[in-house]
Amino acid sequence: EIEKREIIKSKDLKNLRKAGKIPGTFYAHDTKASINFFINKSEINQAIKSDASIFLISVGGKQRNILFKSVQYHPVTEEIIHIDLYGVNMNKPVMVKVPITLSGDSIGVKEEGGVINQAGLEIEIKCLPGDIPNLIDVNITELAIGDTLLADQINLDDKLELISSSEMLIVSITLPMKEIEVVEEVDEELEEGEEEGTEE
């Protein structure tokens, strides 16, 4: 349940946040108009913890399916300070970004002493709202040192369409970096030069 609000001063917004009210904006899928609202912090926290993708809210007495468009956090306290909600039509595809999780023990790490470098933390996909996954699992068991995995190599469900670039790097297995003792080599060159100078 959300409460409609008018545009108010930033000072009043701070007081409302202290009272446990989070300001937000609702964007409908079928109109350019937007609705400003407040929602209880406890309800937002429960929604985020639920790991669901689609939520049902009441806007002006109408039930609407929505997804989180964006959530703004305070840079210091990490408390939610604003949220944007986007209304969706359950029969029309939407584009969303989904987090990527890695599973399995890479051959390159387990047997060859390599290091995992995850370049892509999420990918953008297109699908019906009801088919949005909480995350996309990528198995890296077969990756050896020197191997890379690109976005188009991820095995997506048939209901999901890749929107991110097919060449987007997701993960690579590389050799661990070695420290080069440059200082010692320089010292040795200096010593040789000094010895040659002494002989002259």
Side-chain angles (χ1 to χ4, degrees), residues 63-101:
Q63 299 290 318
R64 296 177 184 261
N65 292 299
I66 60 97
L67 54 78
F68 288 173
K69 185 176 182 182
S70 67
V71 181
Q72 295 176 26
Y73 294 89
H74 191 281
V76 178
T77 64
E78 295 187 355
E79 289 283 333
I80 296 174
I81 57 174
H82 190 274
I83 183 168
D84 285 340
L85 304 179
Y86 178 70
V88 295
N89 181 333
M90 296 302 286
N91 297 314
K92 290 186 177 181
V94 292
M95 289 187 289
V96 293
K97 291 182 178 179
V98 180
I100 291 173
T101 182

